[in-house]
Amino acid sequence: MPLRLFNTMSSQIEEFRPLRDSEVRMYACGPTVYDYGHIGNFRTFVAVDLLRRFLRQSGYSIHHVMNITDVDDKIIRNSARDGVTVQQYTAKYEKAFLEDAAMIGIEQPTLVRATEHIPKMADFVAKLVEKGIAYRTDDGSYYFRIAKFPSYGKLSKRDFSSMLDGARVDVDEYDKDSARDFALWKAPKTGEASWSTAIGSGRPGWHLECSVMSMQELGESFDLHAGGEDLIFPHHENEIAQSESLTGKPFAHFWFHARFLLVEGEKMSKSLGNFFTLRDLVLKGHKPSSLRYLLTSVPYRNQLNFTFDGLKQGAVSVERLRNFRLRLKSGNFAEGSTAEIQTLAADTVTKMRSALEDDLNTAQAQAAIFEMVRQANTAFDNGTLKKDDVPPLLTALEKFDEVFAVLEDDDLPKMQRVMDWAIAEGREKDISEELRDAVRSAGLSDSTIEPKIEEMKAARTARDFKRSDAIRAELADAGILVEITKDGIRWRRK
Ligand code: AMP
Ligand code: ZN
């Protein structure tokens, strides 16, 4: 079965086939680097990452481009306020964004920066002027005349037939109901950054950036364009208008939009105190993998309501999967195989695939892997899981992880880096006890812990429970939880 995806343009689930046989060319609107990325941003970026990973697993090579919006109204305002250049201002947040994206398991797309494409953007405006689609105003700004693009509104399904020809708007984000000619290029204002180009001085509008850079990297028509649902109008509508009126060709064939994330049932906002960056969560002691898991647990078109209970549940799920893999890798198994387990592993791979092919139904794919873990654990406990059953089970886990990317146990070094960053930024007071505990436990390497576990085992065999308890307490102090089970002694970091 081919992948079926919802296309915002047709408002339907369609079969996804790239324009070129085996290559997918996709563009995702990236962050505006004026602050640290929040969990809403990462909801969308993780959804796009998951799509990319699944397309690759499906056999496509991927050309995935993402822009870094390093010039816009907010950036210009903030850099002027701080008395630094736009580049100085954005460098810090771009670096932070890339670190955060890596921390949450996002594979890095090809990055393009607005400020590195200014002459191309000016050329684009000049061509639109030549075609009579863009016009210059007295102050030296340029606007797109939407009356010249009759299908304006086709993505957002808005009817602009009664719009006022010539009414203008010069901000990047504007009222959803306004049908206005939008700014392609903004004339310089005193004290604000501007570039000198063939069409005069000024700076590009946000919509223009994405049209110019996506077509430069991917061609005039490409497969898929992605972003959060707030970008449908005006941003993506305007990208389509600019691009298609210039080339006369369809711009992106698929429009992929992730539904907005809510926090505890409400829109995230600084004033409500429910606004979290990824770093805020790590400072509270949560693992990046817990958030990645949570963000993927609700299919991208459903509303995800972020809660701390959900985040804890995410941690438990990841832990279960990691423990299961550890069990498979370190357990002792009788020779042979069990037909039911072989079938279970193969069926799980098929179920995960069909779930993801169904408009990326991540919840169902996760349900399939957990059902496998449950049944395989039962078989392990009653001795019916045999040596030759291990490889197919591990393969199913690997297939899962190629897309979900939570199995690698690398949270602690990442958390350590966030702690170092907080100290360097003078934010020590924001470091929770939970994070300190976790990082302390990371200080003990596996090779230090294992001999202590062996010593505990020996002490218990010799019925020296005092010694065994002392080692257990020492490890607990260092954030290592030791569990004594009927299969032996297991440990994990808190
Ligand atoms: P920005 O940095 O504001 O340009 O946003 C970067 C990306 O995050 C865009 O694709 C937005 O649509 C997306 N985004 C912003 N807030 C949320 C949210 N609460 N839920 C999901 N996606 C969001
Ligand atoms: Zn964009």
Side-chain angles (χ1 to χ4, degrees), residues 187-257:
K189 294 202 182 104
T190 349
E192 289 190 347
S194 64
W195 285 260
S196 170
T197 71
I199 58 162
S201 281
R203 63 185 172 92
W206 170 41
H207 316 303
L208 182 67
E209 278 179 34
C210 284
S211 281
V212 171
M213 299 194 292
S214 60
M215 291 200 289
Q216 175 188 301
E217 292 292 319
L218 301 172
E220 291 174 342
S221 295
F222 53 92
D223 299 307
L224 183 139
H225 196 123
E229 63 175 343
D230 60 319
L231 300 189
I232 298 174
F233 185 85
H235 186 52
H236 289 163
E237 198 73 71
N238 291 352
E239 281 189 49
I240 293 169
Q242 294 162 160
S243 309
E244 296 191 354
S245 54
L246 188 74
T247 68
K249 295 178 189 158
F251 180 46
H253 281 226
F254 262 81
W255 288 88
F256 176 96
H257 291 106

Side-chain angles (χ1 to χ4, degrees), residues 284-304:
K284 289 178 187 294
H286 298 285
K287 294 178 176 177
S289 62
S290 314
L291 181 65
R292 181 170 172 106
Y293 190 91
L294 173 62
L295 294 180
T296 56
S297 64
V298 174
Y300 75 99
R301 282 202 302 127
N302 294 2
Q303 190 133 61
L304 169 65

